[in-house]
Amino acid sequence: MIRFLLTCIVVIGFLILSIPILIAEWIIGRFSPETRDASSLKIVLAVFRLCIRITGSSVTVIGEENVPKDTAVLYIANHRSFFDVLLTYVRVPRCTGYIAKYEMKHIPLLHAWMCLLHCLFLNRKDLRQGMKTIQAAAEDVKKGVSICIFPEGTRSKNAPELEMLPFHKGSFKIATKTNCPIVPIALTGTSQIFEDHLPMIRPAHVTLEYGKPIYPDDLTRDEKKNLEQYTQDIIRTMLEKNIPISAACAGSGKTS
């Protein structure tokens, strides 16, 4: 329970105390959006790293060299935990916006920081608004901002590690509209930090693997038509390989 309370104190304390910083970042953005993006990223990364440190969790990272460093990408990941965002965000090499649930748009201060970081809010109940969000994400990619989305639409709860919800096809239009690389991400063990024993936060060993980039225009017609299934199959293959790794590392206390 102490880890949970400390995490809450850090997050809530940061949001409240960062009000002057938000104002300063807004002013900086009026003159230099690039400077604002860089400084906002550094601030949030520091907070996320502290939160991960509080959990006592360790992470094995595989295939990080697969992430292109010279262009914006679309990250596609499976989703089992609130900590999926923190664990993936602390490793992004460039400004990256996340596609979040529309309900998060109404959380004061958090919404402001998310907007600074090019996050977008997807209303899956409104098809027209949802497509506008996907189009906005595609425009961000064209401007050099990477996008991360969890195409299951919500967390897979109380399910075996390999069990994923269907990937939403619309999520992949961000890549097909821009031909940006899709970087598949397989996350294993993240629910063991929090969701498996609510409201306790406990140390866990997480494996985070980046697959080789997928370029939509390089795929066959059938692969491109079923891009969501093609990508999910790649992620499932990585999960099958990494579940034993996470289990072995957790048992030995190994940290990478």
Side-chain angles (χ1 to χ4, degrees):
M1 185 59 75
I2 292 176
R3 295 180 191 274
F4 174 76
L5 293 174
L6 284 175
T7 303
C8 290
I9 290 170
V10 168
V11 173
I12 296 172
F14 166 71
L15 290 175
I16 294 173
L17 296 176
S18 68
I19 293 175
I21 301 175
L22 278 171
I23 296 172
E25 291 291 270
W26 180 82
I27 295 172
I28 291 170
R30 300 285 292 180
F31 298 96
S32 176
E34 295 81 9
T35 302
R36 177 204 59 201
D37 288 350
S39 59
S40 295
L41 180 63
K42 288 181 180 179
I43 292 167
V44 172
L45 287 181
V47 176
F48 281 4
R49 289 188 180 113
L50 177 58
C51 289
I52 294 171
R53 192 172 299 118
I54 289 171
T55 71
S57 298
S58 57
V59 185
T60 292
V61 179
I62 303 170
E64 198 163 19
E65 68 279 2
N66 289 325
V67 181
K69 304 299 190 294
D70 58 349
T71 187
V73 306
L74 173 65
Y75 296 102
I76 294 288
N78 61 312
H79 195 23
R80 295 183 60 84
S81 173
F82 291 117
F83 281 91
D84 293 341
V85 174
L86 281 68
L87 290 160
T88 53
Y89 201 81
V90 297
R91 309 200 73 87
V92 296
R94 63 193 299 124
C95 184
T96 301
Y98 277 60
I99 305 292
K101 291 192 293 187
Y102 186 78
E103 290 76 9
M104 296 186 73
K105 187 175 183 178
H106 305 294
I107 302 176
L109 298 179
L110 178 61
H111 165 257
W113 274 107
M114 291 177 74
C115 287
L116 277 179
L117 295 167
H118 298 274
C119 293
L120 297 165
F121 303 92
L122 181 62
N123 186 350
R124 296 192 184 276
K125 296 179 181 178
D126 188 327
L127 184 59
R128 180 176 296 180
Q129 289 301 317
M131 290 310 300
K132 286 183 178 180
T133 300
I134 296 299
Q135 182 60 44
E139 291 301 318
D140 277 344
V141 168
K142 292 176 183 178
K143 296 174 184 176
V145 177
S146 291
I147 295 292
C148 181
I149 190 166
F150 302 99
E152 293 170 270
T154 188
R155 290 172 292 121
S156 297
K157 302 173 186 176
N158 303 316
E161 196 85 50
L162 284 174
E163 189 172 315
M164 290 178 279
L165 298 170
F167 281 10
H168 290 278
K169 200 176 190 72
S171 305
F172 293 82
K173 291 186 181 296
I174 299 168
T176 56
K177 286 177 177 290
T178 61
N179 197 37
C180 75
I182 297 170
V183 177
I185 299 177
L187 292 156
T188 58
T190 58
S191 64
Q192 296 172 24
I193 299 175
F194 183 52
E195 282 74 10
D196 288 353
H197 35 72
L198 297 170
M200 308 291 286
I201 289 179
R202 294 175 180 167
H205 187 88
V206 174
T207 302
L208 189 165
E209 181 170 5
Y210 297 92
K212 292 183 179 179
I214 303 165
Y215 293 86
D217 284 357
D218 291 344
L219 301 178
T220 66
R221 177 182 293 183
D222 285 343
E223 289 170 341
K224 191 170 183 179
K225 181 180 179 181
N226 300 290
L227 185 52
E228 72 285 357
Q229 189 61 56
Y230 179 83
T231 307
Q232 189 174 54
D233 289 343
I234 291 174
I235 292 175
R236 182 174 287 106
T237 299
M238 292 191 287
L239 291 174
E240 289 173 345
K241 174 172 62 73
N242 293 335
I243 288 172
I245 295 175
S246 287
C249 290
S252 64
K254 180 181 177 182
T255 303
S256 296

